[in-house]
Amino acid sequence: MDYKFEDAFLKLSKLKKTITPDLMLKLYAFHKQANFGNNRYLKRGLDVRSGFKLNAWMQLKGMPSQEAKLKYIELAEKILKQNKNS
């Protein structure tokens, strides 16, 4: 699964089309949860963008790393498929 996870990340990184902000937040959160686990730090004074990112990650609290990787892969494949067909 680690190979598929890294492959999905690399493919999305090379994508020419812009990914919508809501999907970017999900990808960010799944990636953080997969690599770092639960966020244990509440940061004060965040700008709005950083606040949204932190909130998206915190919503995944308790999700195992392998599940986060699987969700990331599934979402990445969906995005890549949509961009291939458009």
Side-chain angles (χ1 to χ4, degrees):
M1 181 173 317
D2 289 337
Y3 173 78
K4 283 187 174 185
F5 179 70
E6 290 300 320
D7 188 51
F9 177 79
L10 291 174
K11 286 180 180 176
L12 286 176
S13 298
K14 294 176 185 176
L15 195 62
K16 302 281 187 229
K17 292 190 177 187
T18 303
I19 300 172
T20 60
D22 61 319
L23 294 178
M24 285 295 292
L25 280 173
K26 288 180 181 179
L27 289 167
Y28 172 84
F30 289 137
H31 193 271
K32 284 291 200 177
Q33 189 70 17
N35 286 305
F36 302 105
N38 294 332
N39 183 341
R40 294 181 277 291
Y41 307 103
L42 182 59
K43 299 178 183 175
R44 301 206 183 271
L46 295 174
D47 59 63
V48 174
R49 181 175 179 222
S50 296
F52 277 114
K53 289 166 67 175
L54 180 64
N55 184 51
W57 184 11
M58 290 179 75
Q59 289 180 30
L60 301 181
K61 183 178 181 179
M63 180 181 284
S65 174
Q66 293 301 313
E67 183 180 350
K69 286 180 182 181
L70 180 61
K71 297 280 188 185
Y72 185 96
I73 293 165
E74 289 171 351
L75 182 56
E77 288 174 349
K78 179 180 173 185
I79 292 168
L80 291 166
K81 184 178 178 181
Q82 287 174 345
N83 280 282
K84 196 176 205 181
N85 294 333
S86 57

